[in-house]
Every structure is written in structure tokens, then in C-alpha cells.
Amino acid sequence: MTDTDTGLVPAPRRLVRLPGPGPVLDERSTIDAGPGTGGAGRLLRATLGAATGLPLPDAPGGNGLVLRVDPGVEREFGPEGYRLRADGGGVRIDGGGPAGVLHGAQTLRQLLGPGAFRRAPVAPGRSWRLPAVAIEDGPRFRWRGLLLDVARHFTPKEGVLRWLDLLAAHKLNVLHLHLTDDQGWRVEIRLHPRLTETGAWRARTKLGHRASPLWDPRPHGGFYTRDDIREIVAYAAERHITVVPEIDMPGHSQAAIAAYPELGNTDVVDTTSLTVWDTWGVSRNVLAPTDNTLAFYEDVLAEVLDLFPSPWIHIGGDECPKDQWRASPTAQARMKAEGLADEDALQSWFVRHFDRWLAERGRRLVGWDEILEGLRPGGSLAEGAVVSSWRGYEGGVAAARAGHDVVMCPEQHVYLDHRQAPGDDEPVPIGSVRTLEDVYRFEPVPPELTGDAAAHVLGAQANLWTEVTEDQQRREYQAFPRLAAFAETVWSSLPAPGARDFAHFEQRMRAHYARLDALGVDYRPPGGPRPWQRRPGVLGRPIEGSSPIV
């Protein structure tokens, strides 16, 4: 048997067909969950129990599924690695750690067929036979993530929990939540309640690209309460997913300024007249570089740290227009007092303040690759700072060579809001065409990085921005099936991009589409969008011709 026969996605390192028939799950089957494997046992009982109708009781030494943590697996494949053996004696999953056992459990679900991904049995009373296989597997990268932009269009809590299930099913382990932007503030901050009372709501919303003449006149918004966040974080942790919060600053901050006008450049614009932005692009209204602003965001981050145990805290740091700072006597006085050469250095000063503040509290700042700009000669970010390289590979290469960890997420490769095919059928087409094959050939480590510098690439993430994806259905269309291809690029040990066997991946996807169907994912079919997935008449921003892969 090959992994084509099983259709496993992402592809495992090794899969061997064993002699004889595979095991059967039936009414007598049990789960024997050893120390450290309780989470995987609960997930299997909840998911497989619902899908099969089998009770799967916890019975040490019983007949069925055996789950164990094995230090030997950790030594060979790391804490997220696993070995799975299914033969006449039953199923055994040995993980390098609890996360590895869980990843093995996800592989087990795939081996059982698409019915194992449903929430209730479609054929009650049947037994479930597994193929006789031995699998050894482990991830290539530590950071395998998806950015979900909940600021432009809000994803309610139940939608976030669904995304966590979809990430876990594809062995992805980071959910980067883009919580704040010009168009909305999405997390409750007790000390500053107007951030959600005012900042979480906009009066109307642009339909399509910002050049579109169309508007949705309905107010839009929403936010997560503190208990919502705790629930999301706990749900993610059960699936060994880290939720990385992003509080964008000093740009992309008009929603915060609309709620608290004193945060803006009051000596340049009438910030009391600002509202939460209702269109797309980059707002010129940015935070003022004042002590009051720094203290305010320290308050915000103190509550964020209380809610999110993630070692990484993202502060954005991208796309900060400098016009207001150039015109602001207050900003210019700050530059003079700090000995800063220009406004780029002022932004770097702002970022480095929170870099130090987070480091003092045992957390690591993450920022978009603009955080490398404006550093003084010989200056640097804190040792633990991480760069999200989005404008191509260049920022990530520079950061890695300077000794900083990097998450590769170049727009030209893995921005899932970009269109999936040419032509008029793609809904609200944005950017250059990025096909399923394009994403499958994405390589997180560019060839110019070698040795110690290459080791600084923590991994990669696909970014799902939501300006033109207004609901869960649209977001799933943009993400799938490309997120499945991305998952393989960050989990599996693949050859160089040009040597990858895309035809083989397409064969495995035939089985995987059936799993996505069972999960109810509104993915883009290989032949193009279904009628209800199109958005005729809504203006996008397609870029014609081949986009540079940089």
C-alpha cells in the first residue's frame, strides 16, 4: 500500500503495508490511553464515537486503540512525531509527546475514511476496518500556522472553534488571530471598555475592493469577551494549537483612535471626528508616539498576556504611514529627544519599546518584516524577537542572518485571499493567481539561507485576510484546498519545489476532498467554483501576468 491508496494529507515520512487483514473497530473496541495521552483519547472518543456510533470506552489493556507517549519516538521524530501500527492485534499510536499522539489520532481518522469526519453515523451498526499499515511520521517545522483576520470581517467564536478543528485535522499548530485593525477591535479589554463599545463596530462596509462603488449598509462588528478568549485558547490547547494574538500598532489603529481620540495625533487632525473605518487599504491615522499611548498599550498587552499563554505576542508594526508624524510637533519633539534620525527610526523606537516590555515578561515579540526598518546603526531587536516575512523572502533572510527567528509568509506564495485561477468566475478576485500547485511548491527556506541561518526559520503560515471574505463560507472557499497543500509543505519532508510530485498530491486529494465534504467545508472544486460560490458584479483587484516569486 502507498500513501496514494490511503490518501493521507499531509504525506507521512514512511508508510508500509503489513501482511494480513487490518484491525476492525466495533462495539467491543476500547481506548487504552496511557499517561499524557488523555487529550488524544478524549478527542478520539468524541470524534470517532460520534462518527461511528461506537462507545469506545476507556479500558486499560482492552481490545482496540492503545495510546502511549514514547521517549524513543521523541528522540527520532520530536515531541510532535508518532508511530502508528494497525494490524490484527489492534491499533497502537506511540507519540513523542502528547501532541504526537494527537497527530497520530488524526492520521487514524483519515485511515478510517471520510465517514470518520462526520458528526453522526450515516450507517449505524457497522464495523470499521482499517488497512494493515505501519506509519512513522513527524513534522519538518515547529511553526505551522494560519493567520485568520477577524478585524476586517468578524468571525464569531463558533467559527474560530471550527477553524481550530480544521487546523488540527491538517496537523497545523498555530492560529494567528489578527484581532485589531482600522476596521475593528475584537478583544475585550476591561481597563479600556470603549475599545469594544465603540471600536468593535462600523456603520457600513465596502463590498469588494476599495475601488468598488458598492456598500453593505448594515452595521458590522463583534468582539470576543474574555471568557470567549479563554474558551478559544483552551479548545486550541486540547488540540495542541497555540493561539498567537496580534494587537496591531502603531499603524492600522483607527478603530482604537475612534474609541480613544487622545491616542491619535491630535495636533495634526481632529481625532474626535474619526470613526471606525468602513473601507479597505491603509488608514493615515496612526498612533501618536506619546507616553500616554505607550502606557495605554501596556495596559492592553497586560490583559492580552493574561488571556493568551502563547510565548509569542504579535504587535504588527507594518504599513505605518508617516505623514502625520512629519506634520506633528509632538512627534518631532519625541524624535529630537530620543536622538532619532527620521520617522522610520521613530517607528522602530515604538516597536523596540514593546520588544523590551514583552521580553521583561518572558514573552517574545513577533512583528511583520517592517520592524527591521529604522534601526539605529548597530542597533537591534531583542534577542528573542521574531519576524513574520510577508513582503517576500527578503525580510526573513535579513532577520535570520541577524540571528532572529523567522516565520515565512510571503504574500506571493501563501496569501489565501489571492485568487485561485484566472478568469471571471473567481469570486472578488484579488492579487495574482495562486493555484493549488503554486502553494504546493512553496518552500519556507529559500536557497540563500543555509546552516545556522536556515535553522532560524521556525516555519511558515498561510495568511487569510478578510476584506473581501465576508463570512465562513467565503473564507473556506479561499482557504481550501490550498490550505491542505500548505499543510503538506510545512509538515512533510518534500524535495525541492521543482521536483515535487504534484500529480501524486492530486491523487491523494481525491480522497481528501471526500473528507472535506464530510466536514462540510465549502472548498473550491478542482473544476472551478460552484454557482453559489461566485460573486458576479463585485469588484476585485486582479493582478494580471505572472507575479514575481520573491
Side-chain angles (χ1 to χ4, degrees), residues 15 18 53-54 63 110 186 303 311 370 377 432 445 447 470 481 492 502:
L15 185 152
L18 300 176
L54 302 177
N63 171 42
Q110 290 199 19
R186 305 297 180 210
E303 294 196 32
E370 286 96 328
S432 301
V445 182
E470 70 280 359
S492 304
F502 179 66

Side-chain angles (χ1 to χ4, degrees), residues 80 139-144 443-445 457-460 489-491:
E80 292 190 275
R140 180 184 176 195
F141 291 107
R142 176 185 178 188
W143 185 304
R144 308 181 303 279
E443 172 51 49
V445 182
V457 178
L458 293 178
T489 69
V490 290
W491 175 275

